[in-house]
Amino acid sequence: MKVGVFDSGLGGLTIVDAISKSFQGAQVFYIADTLFAPYGEKSREQILKHSLDVANYLIKTHEIDALVVACNTATSAAIKTLRASFPRLIVIGTEPGIKPAMQITSSKNIGVLATPATLSGEKYQLLLNDLSKEHDVKVHESACAGLVNQIENGRIEDKQTFKMLQKWLEPMKLNSVDTIVLGCTHYPLISKIIKDIMGAETMLIETGSAIAKRLKILSSQNGHTKQGSLEITVFYTGEIKKDMINMILNRWTDGGKIEVRDTYE
C-alpha cells in the first residue's frame, strides 16, 4: 500500500511515528511543504491550492492509495475539497482532540493551542459548538502565531520559545486548565516544555494514534493485509534544517527504512 502524508513542515512526522508503530507493509511518502510554511498564517484559498497541488503530485507520481492530511490547518481548509476531488482515494484529516479532552478533564477547563487559521476555521468552530452543547466545559484558546517557525528552525529549547509558551499558558494555569489539546502536529515536539510550565500532571491530547487507527481500519476495508516492512520517504519543497529531520525521525520513527530527498519536483 502507498500512503501519502503532508504538512507545511516537519510536524506531521509525529503522525508518521504513530503510523509506524501499528502499520506494516506500506510505503509512506511524506511531504514537508516548507517552501510555503507555515500554513497556519496563510489564507484559506492559499492553503487549499497547496493541498490540491501536493495531493495531485502524490497521486500522479507515487500512485498513492491513501492521503493523510497531517495538519489541522490544511484539514480545516481543504479536506472537503480533497475528498470530493479524489473520491476513490482514502482521505484522512486531522482535527484537534477537543472531544477526548472534554471527556477526561476534572476541572472542567481545557486549553487549546493551535494556529490562528485552525482556531478561526469553520471546521474547528463547528466542532467546538457541537461539543459545547454536550459538555459543560470551558475552553481556553491560544492562537500560537510564530510557534511553528520556532520548532521548524530547531529552537525547541530556546529561551524565546519558552517565553512564548509561558505567555500563552500562564492564563490557562490561572484558570485551572488540567487538559490541553495540541491543535497542531508540530506541538507534540514541545510537550516537555508545556509540562514544565503547566505541571507534570497536565494531560496533553494529540491525535496521531487516532489517525493511525483510522488508517488501519479504512485500509483493511480496501483489502490491505499489513504484511511486510514499512518504508518512509521524506521530501521537502524549500529550505529545511536537516539536523531537525534527523532529530525528529530518531525521536519519532520506530523501525523501517527511511530515505530523505531534497525536493519532490
Side-chain angles (χ1 to χ4, degrees):
M1 187 173 184
K2 295 182 179 181
V3 182
V5 185
F6 78 94
D7 184 18
S8 64
L10 298 174
L13 287 175
T14 59
I15 303 297
V16 174
D17 165 63
I19 292 172
S20 74
K21 285 179 168 58
S22 60
F23 203 78
Q24 295 81 38
Q27 290 178 284
V28 176
F29 302 95
Y30 180 84
I31 293 181
D33 191 14
T34 48
L35 188 63
F36 193 64
Y39 284 175
E41 297 172 27
K42 301 295 192 301
S43 70
R44 181 186 180 280
E45 291 73 22
Q46 289 173 313
I47 299 164
L48 176 59
K49 180 185 182 302
H50 278 259
S51 298
L52 287 169
D53 287 346
V54 170
N56 275 306
Y57 161 77
L58 287 167
I59 292 168
K60 292 176 181 178
T61 305
H62 299 293
E63 301 179 335
I64 59 170
D65 306 292
L67 177 69
V68 177
V69 185
C71 173
N72 291 271
T73 300
T75 297
S76 180
I79 197 71
K80 288 183 180 179
T81 303
L82 288 169
R83 286 174 175 155
S85 300
F86 312 109
R88 296 184 180 181
L89 191 68
I90 296 172
V91 180
I92 301 172
T94 306
E95 62 183 28
I98 302 173
K99 184 175 182 178
M102 287 186 171
Q103 291 172 335
I104 67 173
T105 178
S106 298
S107 69
K108 301 299 180 182
N109 285 276
I110 69 169
V112 179
L113 299 177
T115 66
T118 293
L119 293 180
S120 63
E122 180 184 8
K123 188 174 180 65
Y124 171 80
Q125 291 297 327
L126 290 173
L127 176 65
L128 183 60
N129 289 337
D130 288 343
L131 291 174
S132 295
K133 297 173 185 176
E134 302 174 16
H135 302 274
D136 183 22
V137 174
K138 189 170 183 180
V139 179
H140 306 265
E141 301 171 345
S142 282
C144 305
L147 185 55
V148 168
N149 279 336
Q150 289 290 108
I151 297 169
E152 283 287 320
N153 289 317
R155 296 194 289 266
I156 293 175
E157 302 290 341
D158 192 84
K159 289 182 180 179
Q160 180 62 25
T161 303
F162 185 88
K163 288 180 180 178
M164 292 167 71
L165 284 166
Q166 195 171 40
K167 178 184 69 175
W168 296 317
L169 292 172
E170 284 298 338
M172 294 186 186
K173 194 171 184 178
L174 292 172
N175 282 286
S176 302
V177 166
D178 64 355
T179 306
I180 295 179
V181 177
L182 303 181
C184 172
T185 53
H186 283 76
Y187 297 172
L189 295 168
I190 52 170
S191 294
K192 180 181 181 300
I193 304 173
I194 294 171
K195 289 206 169 197
D196 285 345
I197 296 170
M198 294 294 297
E201 71 284 355
T202 304
M203 296 294 295
L204 302 182
I205 306 296
E206 53 184 283
T207 54
S209 58
I211 291 172
K213 182 178 179 180
R214 184 67 175 158
L215 178 62
K216 285 179 65 177
I217 292 171
L218 293 179
S219 63
S220 293
Q221 292 174 354
N222 280 21
H224 180 53
T225 58
K226 298 185 290 295
Q227 295 180 348
S229 62
L230 187 71
E231 297 182 1
I232 300 169
T233 306
V234 178
F235 302 89
Y236 52 94
T237 62
E239 292 185 7
I240 204 164
K241 286 187 172 292
K242 291 190 176 181
D243 57 340
M244 277 295 294
I245 295 178
N246 295 330
M247 185 276 287
I248 296 173
L249 289 177
N250 290 337
R251 177 174 177 176
W252 293 100
T253 305
D254 182 17
K257 178 183 175 183
I258 301 169
E259 181 181 357
V260 179
R261 297 185 185 178
D262 290 345
T263 181
Y264 72 82
E265 297 189 285

